[in-house]
Amino acid sequence: MNDITIATHNGNFHADDVFSIAALKSIYPSFKLIRTRNLEVIGKADIVIDVGGEYDPEAGRFDHHQRGGAGERENGIPYSSFGLIWQKYGLQICQGNQDVANAVDAGLVSTIDAIDCGHVEGVSTGISLSQTISMFNPTWQEESHFDRCFDEAVDFALRVLTRFIASADGGISAKEIVAKAIDNAEDPRIIVLEKYTPWKRTVHALSAEALYMIYPSQTGQWRIQTVPVEPGSFEDRKPLPKPWAGLSDKALKEVTGIDDAMFCHNGLFIAGAESFESTMKMASIALQ
């Protein structure tokens, strides 16, 4: 069904209508987009977004401006048109993976909904993605056409949405890999990953004992990295040995006694060696 008509309002656009159209592009490779406030035209459209004063997902109506809105999440964040679209199509866009759909909703969709609906509690300050989308609107000094600017914003939003989905999928897949590595660790203080995988959230959630992560670098050498006391902290559960700080190559080899030791960061949170065996020796020394 590629011959559908989608309607949204004309004039100034915001992140919710832009991202709604971007999301639908993931489902419908082609469709006719009409930006209007003409109620007769809106009434004939197959899907109506952010205009029309009606929320009825079965009828393809996704507005939230009517009296009483269109509902809110358990955390109190109201739904904008993007949230309404995501409720119906998010699972399909994420290839049936509910965990990924939920992660994208929590990390992207709900924030755009909150800003659009004026629910600022818990929303980070500074330039937001919603503000970035708004800046695609032509300024009063420009003669650019709103619809052309809207299309540019949609292309940008689709790329952002695609990357959010990929990131969420990667994070969920990583959780399973890291959890298995924790279970398989010979020493619960040293967790070995066969391939670098985002690990901090899972390690903090599942292991209070883990002190060091061992994993291969993209160039083939190996790394040892400390586990922070909590996510985002610069304090480590157990830093690498102080005598290693800022040393590399010959100087580090002399201090550690490891022939292929490569470097140790001055902050004592990461170091490396050519081989897995040598990196494990680093971990053994660091535990002492």
Side-chain angles (χ1 to χ4, degrees):
M1 184 179 178
N2 297 331
D3 56 347
I4 67 169
T5 298
I6 299 176
T8 188
H9 62 81
N10 57 3
N12 273 299
F13 48 84
H14 305 95
D16 64 329
D17 43 307
V18 168
F19 269 94
S20 294
I21 298 298
L24 291 176
K25 274 196 166 186
S26 301
I27 300 173
Y28 303 108
S30 63
F31 53 80
K32 181 180 180 181
L33 176 64
I34 301 175
R35 300 187 70 238
T36 181
R37 291 189 184 275
N38 184 308
L39 294 180
E40 183 177 349
V41 174
I42 289 171
K44 295 178 180 178
D46 298 292
I47 298 176
V48 179
I49 294 169
D50 209 39
V51 71
E54 182 182 5
Y55 172 48
D56 183 350
E58 298 305 317
R61 269 50 188 163
F62 301 92
D63 197 12
H64 66 107
H65 294 101
Q66 58 273 21
R67 180 175 293 182
E72 62 182 35
R73 295 171 173 78
E74 291 182 2
N75 61 8
I77 296 178
Y79 290 103
S80 75
S81 61
F82 187 28
L84 299 177
I85 286 290
W86 197 255
Q87 278 195 106
K88 182 172 177 64
Y89 298 103
L91 184 61
Q92 181 180 349
I93 292 170
C94 294
Q95 308 299 313
N97 191 321
Q98 189 67 62
D99 289 336
V100 173
N102 291 343
V104 175
D105 182 75
L108 174 66
V109 185
S110 64
T111 300
I112 288 175
D113 284 358
I115 293 173
D116 190 81
C117 296
H119 186 91
V120 297
E121 182 179 352
V123 176
S124 300
T125 58
I127 295 177
S128 67
L129 185 55
S130 293
Q131 288 173 298
T132 302
I133 291 294
S134 292
M135 286 190 286
F136 278 84
N137 282 288
T139 70
W140 67 272
Q141 296 170 303
E142 298 172 325
E143 296 181 358
S144 299
H145 198 277
F146 273 100
D147 287 353
R148 184 169 64 249
C149 292
F150 182 87
D151 291 340
E152 292 175 357
V154 167
D155 289 341
F156 172 79
L158 180 57
R159 181 61 177 161
V160 171
L161 177 59
T162 299
R163 296 314 304 158
F164 258 91
I165 293 171
S167 177
D169 183 63
I172 290 166
S173 299
K175 181 178 180 180
E176 298 174 359
I177 294 171
V178 176
K180 184 176 180 181
I182 292 172
D183 290 339
N184 294 339
E186 294 184 8
D187 184 332
R189 299 171 297 176
I190 304 173
I191 311 301
V192 178
L193 300 173
E194 295 180 1
K195 178 181 179 181
Y196 176 77
T197 311
W199 53 265
K200 291 184 180 179
R201 287 183 179 273
T202 304
V203 169
H204 283 102
L206 300 181
S207 176
E209 298 176 89
L211 299 178
Y212 302 115
M213 303 297 297
I214 307 291
Y215 55 86
S217 71
Q218 294 181 340
T219 53
Q221 299 93 2
W222 285 77
R223 302 287 183 261
I224 174 173
Q225 188 170 351
T226 57
V227 176
V229 295
E230 61 183 20
S233 174
F234 290 101
E235 180 183 354
D236 299 309
R237 291 179 176 177
K238 187 174 177 57
L240 296 171
K242 287 185 179 180
W244 298 4
L247 299 183
S248 62
D249 300 327
K250 182 179 179 181
L252 184 59
K253 292 174 184 178
E254 291 176 353
V255 170
T256 61
I258 297 174
D259 291 340
D260 59 352
M262 297 171 60
F263 76 96
C264 179
H265 193 281
N266 195 50
L268 297 173
F269 69 91
I270 190 169
E274 292 283 352
S275 66
F276 168 72
E277 292 76 14
S278 293
T279 311
M280 290 296 288
K281 287 181 182 178
M282 283 183 153
S284 296
I285 295 171
L287 286 175
Q288 297 174 9

